[in-house]
Amino acid sequence: MTKEELLTCIEKTKDADSCCEELKEACEHYLTAVGTADEKAAAKALIKEAQEDVCSIDDYLGFVGSDAAKNIFGDALPGMIEAGQKAKAAGEKHCLCDACQNGAKIIAYQDLLK
C-alpha cells in the first residue's frame, strides 16, 4: 500500500456512516495536517484513535446478535449475521463496517503515516 492509498482509506473511514465522532475528527485533523509541521502529531493521534475504535469481528457478531441491532437493521440483519460468521470463518479479524475495515488499514499501515 502506498501513502496515497492509505490517505484514501482515511477519507473512507472519515466518510463512513459507521464512523464514531472521535475517529472522524482524528481523520479530519490528520488529512488537514498532511504536509505540515503538525503531521507527525496528527498521525500519532489518528493511530491511537483507530486502535481504540476499530472493533473486532467478535464485537461485530455480538452487536448484530443484539436486540438493538434488530431495531436498527430489521430485515437486513440475517444477512449481516451470515456475512459476519462467514468472514470470521475465513479469518477476518475486524468488524465488517466501512469505518472498521478502513480503520484497520490505518493501523496495519501506520508506518506510512510517520
Side-chain angles (χ1 to χ4, degrees):
M1 177 169 291
T2 66
K3 184 172 181 177
E4 290 74 27
E5 291 169 328
L6 189 55
L7 290 173
T8 299
C9 289
I10 294 169
E11 284 281 350
K12 288 179 181 179
T13 302
K14 175 184 71 75
D15 294 341
D17 290 338
S18 54
C19 188
C20 69
E21 196 59 37
E22 297 85 1
L23 184 53
K24 186 179 298 263
E25 289 174 9
C27 288
E28 289 171 350
H29 181 73
Y30 177 76
L31 291 168
T32 301
V34 172
T36 71
D38 191 34
E39 183 174 1
K40 187 173 183 176
K44 185 176 179 180
L46 173 58
I47 294 162
K48 181 179 183 287
E49 194 63 44
Q51 289 170 332
E52 291 175 4
D53 296 338
V54 170
C55 296
S56 70
I57 190 67
D58 289 328
D59 291 337
Y60 172 87
L61 288 169
F63 176 67
V64 297
S66 72
D67 288 337
K70 290 177 190 173
N71 295 329
I72 296 168
F73 300 111
D75 293 339
L77 195 57
M80 294 172 72
I81 293 169
E82 182 179 353
Q85 291 169 338
K86 285 182 178 178
K88 182 175 179 172
E92 178 61 55
K93 301 292 184 213
H94 300 99
C95 169
L96 300 181
C97 80
D98 289 338
C100 287
Q101 286 290 301
N102 285 292
K105 291 174 185 170
I106 295 168
I107 296 166
Y109 297 99
Q110 63 183 280
D111 289 343
L112 295 174
L113 300 178
K114 296 180 179 179

